[in-house]
Amino acid sequence: MSKSIKKEFNRENLLNQGVNLFMNQGYHGTGLQEILDAVNVPKGSFYNYFGSKEDFGADVIQHYTEPFIMQLTAHLNNSGADALGAIRCYFDELIVELEKNEFKGGCLLGNFMGEMGDTSEVCQKSLQSAVKRYRDLLQLGLIKAQQQGTVRLDKSAEEMADLLVNTWQGALLRMKIEKSSAPIKQCCQDLLGDYFRV
Amino acid sequence: MSKSIKKEFNRENLLNQGVNLFMNQGYHGTGLQEILDAVNVPKGSFYNYFGSKEDFGADVIQHYTEPFIMQLTAHLNNSGADALGAIRCYFDELIVELEKNEFKGGCLLGNFMGEMGDTSEVCQKSLQSAVKRYRDLLQLGLIKAQQQGTVRLDKSAEEMADLLVNTWQGALLRMKIEKSSAPIKQCCQDLLGDYFRV
DNA sequence: TAAATAAATATGACCGGTCGTATTTATTTA
DNA sequence: TAAATAAATACGACCGGTCATATTTATTTA
């Protein structure tokens, strides 16, 4: 394996393990050594891939977000005349995944916002951009649903997208301590199944 | 000052500083030494007051919650025929306080749920009980408001209280990274000013 | 009541480990 | 061989926690 390919391979592995460990143990609760051991990269090599732990955290945030954007985008593209249904379907998939993990971890974005959202400027910037991308995509779906007549028009799609993102994050926190999917299911039912409907 | 009084004094100071530092830097981001220095208590004395950092964390959670319960209780007791107004008034006060702090910290319960809600059993228990007390009190207020005819009857007060707690927590996370009170204001407006109304 | 003893609390030096990072050495690539 | 990259090692600071000892308070005895 060529060096430059291996470099990309190591970088990717580090990011993946960073997502896993940061999500389950938090930023300050996870040492670099633990991540490096998990992907068999020597400690001295870390700074060849990332400038610092903080910079690494910011990159992990983006790396974590990507698949969610993809997944939601795919649902919206295949939704046909039911954008609201696509959004519900997307969240249902998330719920299945969270149940599979026994409600551990939750959402890296939410956890990081609470732990470092106002202390690390680098990560704050990264969180802002990740959440914005996510919110904007939900907004797009809600606009589509409004045009299709399944979502109310007297509230802006932006406002609803924000409310959905925020309530979902709060529900994930409750899920973690209650070890139950009830909060996140109720979030979807209350908003997507009731409040947002025409 | 007698020994037993000083002990209570030190304990209280430790809890207060614990609230401050944990809220702003997180649990793992805050060392015991930092807390001990802030209240001039020697390292070795800490374990006369608390069994471990984790036990201390659980106590800090309860200590943090108390004033909020008091404050909301007071509003509800003085509300007369407008329990919904009392709840709104209570949250308005919280918003003023958060603006005063320039959106730093947010809520210790939310931050801890994200950071340790599924890793520390001791703190998880403490978080469960703190959130339940808070939720139950909001539920009580909403029931009162339902009886007064200002809040819809076709949704249970419990469900609405949970939704309010969760959305508020999510909005606080957004507040922290956006450095703006818009999310928490929108939370109150959307739920208390719209969705919950008859 | 005074002295002697026991119990409780306070203390700071110190433990083994781990932290994130810098520097130095080795290896690869051009 | 020169430049670039990876890896090993070293570093001081700090982590949560322990422990023997010192000091204060409570209890017993005379």
Side-chain angles (χ1 to χ4, degrees), chain B residues 17-108:
Chain B
Q17 274 304 320
V19 165
N20 278 338
L21 293 170
F22 280 155
M23 182 148 65
N24 283 290
Q25 309 178 151
Y27 177 81
H28 291 102
T30 306
L32 289 182
Q33 195 60 62
E34 197 176 352
I35 300 170
L36 292 161
D37 287 348
V39 299
N40 262 35
V41 167
K43 181 68 170 288
S45 302
F46 177 82
Y47 292 90
N48 298 324
Y49 302 109
F50 304 97
S52 66
K53 188 189 183 185
E54 201 180 359
D55 289 345
F56 176 63
D59 284 355
V60 166
I61 289 167
Q62 296 301 319
H63 187 74
Y64 170 79
T65 309
E66 211 60 46
F68 292 92
I69 300 284
M70 296 293 198
Q71 193 176 347
L72 178 52
T73 301
H75 273 97
L76 288 175
N77 285 342
N78 299 340
S79 66
D82 187 12
L84 180 59
I87 296 174
R88 293 202 70 157
C89 189
Y90 162 74
F91 277 104
D92 283 343
E93 280 185 13
L94 294 188
I95 292 171
V96 168
E97 197 60 32
L98 290 160
E99 285 175 337
K100 208 181 294 173
N101 294 339
E102 280 168 318
F103 320 115
K104 290 209 183 305
C107 175
L108 181 78

